[in-house]
Amino acid sequence: MRIDIVTIFPEYLAPLDVSLIGKAAAAGILDIRVHELRTWTHDRHNTVDDSPCGGGPGMVMKPEPWWEALTGLVPPGTEAGTRLIVPTPSGRPFTQRVAEDLATASHLVFAPARYEGIDRRFVEAAAERMPVEELSIGDYVLAGGEVAVLVMVEAVGRLLPGVLGNAESAKDDSFGHASEGGMAGLLEGPVYTKPATWDGREVPPVLLSGNHAVIARWRRDEALRRTAAMRPDLIEGLDPDALDKKDRAR
Ligand SMILES: N#Cc1c(N)n[nH]c1-c1ccc2c(Cl)cn(Cc3cccnc3)c2c1
C-alpha cells in the first residue's frame, strides 16, 4: 500500500518512521510519503490560508494548493484504487470497520489540514475524481488533522498482511468482528507477567496452572466482565452467534 500525506507540519508525522509502521515501511509493505503542502504554492509567502468568506473566526485553507498537491500525487486517469481521507471534527467516526475497509485500498492520500479546515470546494472537486472519506477519530477536539492521520495509518497499517507477526494476529482485536470462541468484539481482560507475587499481590493462580483450556475460559470470562463494565454497548452489539453456551450462562 502506498500512503501519501500532505501537511504543513511534516515533522508531525515523524512517528511513522518508528516501530510497527516504520518496520513495515522498511520492509516495503508500506510506501509512506510525507509532503509539505507549501510545495504547491507559488507566491512569495507560500500562502496556504485566507480569511473565511462570510466572516467568522480563524482562517480557512485555500483550495488551490491542495488541488495541485492531489493532482500532482494522483495524476488524472490514475485514480483507480486511490481514496482521499480528510480528517475533520465533522466527519463520520473512524472505527475498526472503517480501518478494515481502508486496508483494502492500494493507495491512500491523507489531507490533514489546519486552521478551520479546507475550502469545501476542494473536497467537492476531489469527490468527482475519487472516493473521499471525511473521518473523525473521536468526540474530542484536536488542533488539526495530523494526529488523526497517525491514528488512522497505524490502525490501517497493522491490518496489512505481514505487518503483525504471527504472535500478534489482528484476528482477535478488541474491536474486530466477534467470532465464536475468539476474543474479537470484546475488550482485552487483565494481563500479568512475572514475578508471581509483587507488592503482596498474586498472579491469578489459574494463569500458572498450565491448563490451557481453563486459562482460555478464564480469559474469556474476564474479557466479558471488563467489556460489560467498561463498554456495555459492545455487549449489546455482539453477534449472538459469537457468544458460546458458557457465555450465555454468565
Ligand atoms: N479527525 C479529527 C478531529 C477530531 N476528532 N477532533 N478534531 C479533529 C480535527 C481534524 C481536522 C482539523 C482541522 Cl483541518 C482543523 N482542526 C481544528 C478544528 C477544531 C474544531 C473545529 N474546527 C477546526 C481539526 C480538527
Side-chain angles (χ1 to χ4, degrees), residues 87-89 113-117 135-138 140-145 148 152:
T88 170
R114 286 272 155 168
Y115 306 104
E116 296 306 311
L135 299 172
S136 170
I137 60 167
Y140 37 79
V141 178
L142 305 169
M152 294 186 211

Side-chain angles (χ1 to χ4, degrees), residues 42-153:
H42 309 291
D43 64 302
R44 205 171 78 203
H45 299 292
N46 300 114
T47 306
V48 294
D49 64 305
D50 204 336
S51 54
C53 292
M59 301 292 273
V60 173
M61 299 200 87
K62 297 170 61 62
E64 300 95 327
W66 286 102
W67 186 251
E68 279 197 37
L70 185 63
T71 304
L73 296 172
V74 188
T78 68
E79 296 87 351
T82 299
R83 300 173 73 169
L84 174 66
I85 316 299
V86 182
T88 170
S90 61
R92 77 182 173 108
F94 175 71
T95 64
Q96 188 69 16
R97 279 185 188 278
V98 173
E100 290 163 0
D101 178 37
L102 294 182
T104 65
S106 55
H107 183 196
L108 297 178
V109 179
F110 287 90
R114 286 272 155 168
Y115 306 104
E116 296 306 311
I118 306 173
D119 185 301
R120 185 70 198 160
R121 292 169 292 179
F122 164 70
V123 171
E124 289 171 356
E128 291 177 7
R129 289 187 51 206
M130 68 190 76
V132 178
E133 296 292 341
E134 295 181 87
L135 299 172
S136 170
I137 60 167
D139 293 339
Y140 37 79
V141 178
L142 305 169
E146 285 80 6
V147 166
V149 171
L150 290 173
V151 167
M152 294 186 211
V153 169

Side-chain angles (χ1 to χ4, degrees), residues 196-208:
T197 301
W198 173 79
D199 191 38
R201 303 170 192 273
E202 304 282 320
V203 168
V206 64
L207 295 179
L208 307 177

Side-chain angles (χ1 to χ4, degrees), residues 171-174 176-187 216-217 219-221 223-224 238 241-244 247:
K171 75 175 177 51
D172 276 347
D173 278 347
S174 292
H177 303 303
S179 58
E180 174 76 23
M183 303 294 264
L186 297 177
L187 300 181
R217 179 74 256 171
R219 283 178 167 157
R220 184 163 175 80
D221 285 350
L224 282 163
L238 274 182
D241 295 339
L243 295 173
D244 63 27
D247 293 332

